[in-house]
Amino acid sequence: MDPRRTARTVSDPKVRQVGFFTPAPTERSISDPPRFQDPIQPPSPSPTQVNDHSPSGNSLSPVMIPPAHHHSDNFLRTALQVTSPTKAFSYSAKTVTIPPENEDVASSFSPGRKVVSAKSPSSFPGVKASSVPASELTTVSVVNLPPGISEKAGGASVEVQNDRPVSAKTLKEKTNKAERRALQEAQRAAKAAAKAEGTKASSAASKVVTSANTKPSKAAKSSSQKNDGSQVAASEKKGGDRAPEKDRKKDAPHPRMQYDDKSRVEKAKKRAVVKQTEARNRVELFRHLPQYEHGTQLPDLETKFFELDPMHPAVYKVGLQYLSGDIHGGNARCIAMFQAFKEAIKDYSTPPEKTLIRDLTARISSYVSFLIECRPLSISMGNAIKFLKNRIAKLPLALSESEAKSTLMLDIDLFINEKIILSEKVIVKHAVTKIQDGDVLLTYGASSVVEMILLHAHELGKHFHVVVVDSRPKLEGQLLLRRLVRKGLSCTYTHVNAVSCIMQDVTRVFLGASSVLSNGTVYSRVGTACVAMVAHAFRVPVLVCCEAYKFHERVQLDSICFNELGNPDAISKVQGREEINYLDGLVNQENLQLLNLIYDATPSDYVSMIITDYGMIPPTSVPVIVREYRRDHLWS
Amino acid sequence: MDFQVVVLAGGNSKNLTPLVSKELPKPLLPVANCPVLNYVLHQLEQSNLKDLIVVVEGEDAALLVGAWISGTFIDRLHVEIAAVPEDIGTAGALRAISHHLTAKDILVVSGDLVSDVPPGALAATHRRHDAAVTTMLCSIPVSGPLESGSSGGKDKAKKLGRYNIIGLDPSKQFLLHIATGAEIEKDARISKRILHAVGQMEMRSDLMDAHMYAFKRSVLQEVLDVKDTFQSLKEDVLPYLVRSQLKSEALLNRTPQGEENSNEKVSSQNNQAFISRILANASTPSFHGIYSENPDGSSSTRKTHKCCVYIASSSSYCVRLNSIQAFMDINRDVTGDADHLLSPNNIIGPSPKLGTKTTVGPNCRLGEGSEMGDKCQVKRSIIGRHCRIGSHVKVVNSVVMNHVTIGDGCIIQGSVICSNVQLQERVELKDCQVGAGFVVTAGSEYKAESLAKKEK
C-alpha cells in the first residue's frame, strides 16, 4: 500500500486535470466513483491474480497473491466441465435404452405432479411421466458457468498489464521514451492475452484497471483506453455488442455530449445499447444535440430484449416506455425511474469480492446511461440520480447488504414522497391563494402541478374559468382538458397561435416547468416562453409552478445549447389526416430541415413569480434556494 | 428478464402423416436435414434464452426428443422435457406443466415455428404495455396451392393458420378481435363494448397467428384453472382473453403498483394513489384506460387487461410447419431465400459421391454419405444422409430423407420420401408422400398419393 500512496502524491503533477481538482475523495464527482475505491478497500480487486505470462511477474507488486488460487479455480472449472456432460450423457443414454427405468425416475422425482394430472381432461397414465424430473438434461451451459471464473482470470491478466505502470511509477516517477515504449509493448502483449481469454475477461479487466489505480495516471489512462478498444473489438467479434455494465458505465456518453463532434459520436455509438441512426437533415444550429431516426430505435431495442443481461427488467421497461413516449413529463419520468431503481435495488445482490457501495453505484450508472440512450435525461431526473448516488456513497460501510438495500429503498420512497408529492401539495396550497372568484386562468400544455392547483381550487368552491392552450404535435393539453372537463371545470381550449387573442381576457397565467435555472430562466415545454411573453405584454402575471428538486444551478441564456430534439416526423405529418400530408416524399430532401424542439427557455423578465415548496419567490431568488437548500436536502 | 419459455413441440401430428410416425415425431421431422425443433431452439439460444421447457405429446416421442436435444444442445441449453398425453391440446399441455411456471411472464412458442423474428421483440412489447397476453402476428406466407389430399386435422389450431380474421386498433398495438378457422363461416361477432371504447377497428385477414405468445403468468394460470374445458391456446384461450379485455374478472387485473408496494404502511397508500395518478396522467392512455375511467374522472372499478400484438415486419420469415404443403414450402425456402435460418451447427457433411454426368442444381442440400449414380439430376431438392441413388434418376422439388434407396431411372417430382424407403427401378412419383420404410415396386407410377405401410 505504502509505495502506491507515495506514488500518488509524487506523480500528481503529471495528471492532466482540467479544472478544479482535489485529491480528497469528498470533492470527487460522482461520475467516476471507481477512483476512490482504493482507500477503503485496497486489496479487493486483486485476490485472484496471477498470470503466468506476465512480464512483470517479478517486479514489485503489492497486489500479487500466490498462484494457487487461480489454479484451483481453473481446475475446478475443468472438473465441472468434465463431470456435467458425462452425467447428462449417461442419463440420456439411460432414457433411450431403458424407458421403464426412466419412468421410475420421473415419477419418483416429482410426486406433486399427480394432482395436476387428475385435473387434466383425459387421465392418461402417462401424465405421471410428464413430470419430467426437474432437469432431464442438467446441461450447465458453458455460457452461464464460467463468467465468474473467466472474469477473474481476465482480471488477473490485465491487472498485470496495469500493475506495471504503477510499479514503474513507484520506481521512477519519470519514464523516458524507451521505457514508455517497452511499457507499451508489454501492455500490448498483455492485451493480446486478455483478448484471447474472451470478451468477458477483457471487459472485467477494464474495471479492474480503474480500481487498481489510485489515481488516473497517464499510463493507466492509456492502458484503460486500450482496453476499451480491445473490448469493443472482442465484443464485435463475438457478434453481440453486449458491453458489460462496468464498461458501459465508464464509457457512458456524457449527458451533455456534443453531437456534432464526429469522432465522439462514433465512439459513443460503438458502446450504445440502443442502435441509433443519426438523422440526416438536421438544422445547423442544433447539430450538437442528439437526433436519431425515429422508429428505428424501438424495434431494435425490442429485439435485444433478452440479450441485455445486466439490465434489470424494470429499468428496461422504463427505458422502453421513455423511448416509445409512453411516459412523459418530468415528475412522471422521475417517479418511474426511481420505482424501477427501487426494484433493481431490491433484486440486487453484491457480487463476491465487491463492495455494495461501489458496485451498486456502477450498476446505477449503467442503468442511467441506458436510460439516456432511450431519451436524454430531464434535469429533474439528473437531480434525482445525484441524490440517489449520494445516498449510496454515504452508506456506512458497516451496514449489511439487506440493511443497506432497505435504507436505499426507504430513501427512494422518501425522495418521491417529500420532494415530489409533498412539495406538489405545498405548491398547490400556496398557489390556490392566488386564485380568486371570477378569475380567468390560462395554462399551457399539461403540467401535473397546475392540474392539481386547478382541481384543488375547484374543490374549494372557487369560481373561475380555465383556458387551456395547447400546441401540436403532442397535444398534451387535450388530456388535461379531458380531465378538467370531467371534473366539471369550465374551460376554453385553444392553440398557441391564438394566445394573443385570448390573453386579453386572462387574469393569471399558471405554467409548469421542467426546470428553473439559477438565473431565473424557466426551462419548460416549447411554447411556454411564447405564452409568457404574450402575457407579459398584456401585463398579466405569470406564475411558474415548479418543485424545488427541479432547480438547477446552471445558467442558461438561450434554448440552443441544451435542448432536446423530438421526432421531426411528428411535425411533418398530421396524424389521421392523410389528405394534408403535403410533405410526403420531401422529408429526406437535402434542402429541407425539420426542427422539432422539445424545450425552450423563458427569460426571468417575463416571470412574475415562481411558486415552489419554499414559498412564492421572485425568479431572482432561485439561486438562494439552490444555494441554501440544495446542500441540506439533496446532498446531505 | 423474468421470462420462462415453454416450447410446445407437439407429437404425432395427423396433418403430417405419413411423414411423421412413431419413430419420427413431428419435432424431429427434418427440414433441410435438421429437425424442425432445432430452428426454434437455435433461435431461442441466440436470444439468450437458455432455460427452456419443451413439452412433447406422448412419452415415446418425449424420449426421442429428449435424446436428440441432449445430444445436440448439450452444454448450450438448459432444457427440461415434459411429456403430456396426446390430444389434450395446447392449453391442456400448458395446464399440465402449469405448476412449473414461476416467472412473471411466460413465453409460449410452438415447436414447429420456423422464423427469424426475435422473440425478444415480442417480450419487449409485452412488457412495455404490461399486457395480459401478447401475440405475434406475421403476414401469411406465399405458398403453393393447398394440398388436397391432406385433410381432417385433429386440431383446428394446427390445421390452417391462414384463415384468420384479426381486428386491430388504429395504432396496431392492441388485439380487438380474433377468429380462426371454422368460426369464419358464421358471422363475426364483435363486442360492442370494445368497438365503442376504441371507436375504430381495422379488420385484417392477411395476418396469421404465428403461435408465439407472451402471457402474464397469473392470467394464464387463472384462465387455465377456471376454464378447464379450454383445449387450445389459439382457439379458446386467446379469443377468450380478447373478448373479455374490457370486463376482465377482478383477479386478472392487479395494478403493478399495488402488487409491488403491498407491504407499505397505510399512511402511504394515499401517496401511492397519488403517484399512480401522476404516472397515469403522464402516459398516453390507451382505450383501456379511457374506458375504465368513470365519467367523473376518478379511476373506477372496471377492470381491464390489455391484449397486445407484435406484428412482425414483412421482410422477416415466419412460417409454421403444420401441413405437408408448409413442409415443402419451408424446405424450399430454407435452402433458398431464407437460408440464413440454417443454424451453423447444421454442417453439411463431406460432399457425397456423385457419378459421372450427374448434376446438382442450386438450392439443393445433400446429406453426408449419400451416393449417386451416373447421369442423375437433382434440382431444388433435399437429400438426406446415406441415401443410395441409382443412375438416370431425376429428383425435382422433392425432399428425400435419410437411408433411402432409389433405383435406376426413377423420376421424383414434388414428393416427400421418408427414411428407409426403397424405390425400385423406374418408379415415377409426382406430388406423393411416401411413409417411412415403404417399398415401391418397380415400374409403378403414382400421382398425388400418400403411400405408407399398411400395418400400424
Side-chain angles (χ1 to χ4, degrees), chain A residues 379 511-530 532-533 542-546 550-551 554 556-559 599-611 617-620 622:
Chain A
I379 291 175
L511 296 174
S514 170
S515 176
V516 178
L517 309 175
S518 67
N519 58 345
T521 303
V522 174
Y523 186 65
S524 188
R525 177 100 184 85
V526 68
T528 305
C530 165
M533 286 178 204
V542 176
L543 297 94
V544 172
C545 309
C546 183
K550 290 178 176 173
F551 286 12
R554 194 164 69 202
Q556 198 174 322
L557 300 174
D558 55 35
S559 49
Y599 295 107
D600 67 9
T602 311
S604 58
D605 307 348
Y606 305 115
V607 178
S608 326
M609 179 191 279
I610 290 173
I611 306 178
I617 54 168
T620 46
V622 172

Side-chain angles (χ1 to χ4, degrees), chain A residues 272-310:
Chain A
V273 181
V274 191
K275 197 175 142 223
Q276 293 162 325
T277 1
E278 293 265 321
R280 269 170 299 170
N281 292 337
R282 287 185 293 173
V283 179
E284 185 68 44
L285 200 53
F286 292 94
R287 289 244 165 110
H288 60 286
L289 298 171
Q291 183 171 25
Y292 304 110
E293 295 274 8
H294 280 255
T296 57
Q297 295 162 281
L298 187 60
D300 188 73
L301 188 59
E302 281 186 335
T303 57
K304 280 202 239 158
F305 186 68
F306 289 114
E307 293 158 39
L308 297 168
D309 267 337

Side-chain angles (χ1 to χ4, degrees), chain A residues 213-248:
Chain A
N213 279 293
T214 351
K215 31 95 225 149
S217 69
K218 210 188 258 174
K221 253 188 189 165
S222 74
S223 86
S224 77
Q225 262 166 16
K226 263 183 208 152
N227 272 333
D228 293 349
S230 79
Q231 207 275 319
V232 167
S235 69
E236 270 174 1
K237 196 171 60 188
K238 211 182 144 201
D241 47 354
R242 227 189 309 158
E245 55 188 291
K246 290 296 143 44
D247 217 48
R248 183 127 32 78

Side-chain angles (χ1 to χ4, degrees), chain A residues 9-31:
Chain A
T9 47
V10 170
S11 58
D12 246 346
K14 282 174 65 81
V15 179
R16 257 187 67 204
Q17 280 289 341
V18 181
F20 180 65
F21 172 73
T22 55
T26 44
E27 272 303 305
R28 278 194 185 125
S29 72
I30 289 170
S31 63

Side-chain angles (χ1 to χ4, degrees), chain A residues 413-424 613 633:
Chain A
D413 276 339
L414 207 69
F415 185 90
I416 294 179
N417 288 340
E418 277 189 4
K419 298 286 166 198
I420 301 178
I421 293 177
L422 212 61
S423 64
E424 285 202 350
D613 12 350
H633 289 265

Side-chain angles (χ1 to χ4, degrees), chain A residues 371-444:
Chain A
L371 293 181
I372 291 176
E373 282 168 29
C374 292
R375 195 185 153 180
L377 293 184
S378 67
I379 291 175
S380 61
M381 287 162 73
N383 284 341
I385 291 164
K386 237 180 242 173
F387 163 82
L388 179 63
K389 284 193 175 171
N390 203 268
R391 299 304 304 184
I392 296 175
K394 289 276 166 66
L395 282 175
L397 271 177
L399 229 54
S400 77
E401 188 182 306
S402 58
E403 280 172 331
K405 277 161 65 178
S406 59
T407 314
L408 286 178
M409 275 153 51
L410 270 181
D411 279 340
I412 287 180
D413 276 339
L414 207 69
F415 185 90
I416 294 179
N417 288 340
E418 277 189 4
K419 298 286 166 198
I420 301 178
I421 293 177
L422 212 61
S423 64
E424 285 202 350
K425 283 179 181 162
V426 173
I427 291 172
V428 168
K429 216 162 53 188
H430 286 308
V432 160
T433 60
K434 295 288 166 198
I435 299 179
Q436 278 126 32
D437 280 349
D439 266 351
V440 177
L441 311 176
L442 183 141
T443 183
Y444 174 74

Side-chain angles (χ1 to χ4, degrees), chain B residues 282-323:
Chain B
S283 57
T284 327
S286 67
F287 65 91
H288 298 93
I290 294 174
Y291 177 78
S292 62
E293 230 173 47
N294 279 341
D296 62 348
S298 66
S299 63
S300 75
T301 52
R302 290 194 222 181
K303 298 289 181 187
T304 57
H305 60 253
K306 293 178 184 170
C307 301
C308 296
V309 290
Y310 173 78
I311 301 180
S313 68
S314 52
S315 60
S316 54
Y317 187 79
C318 180
V319 187
R320 288 189 64 202
L321 203 171
N322 49 12
S323 67

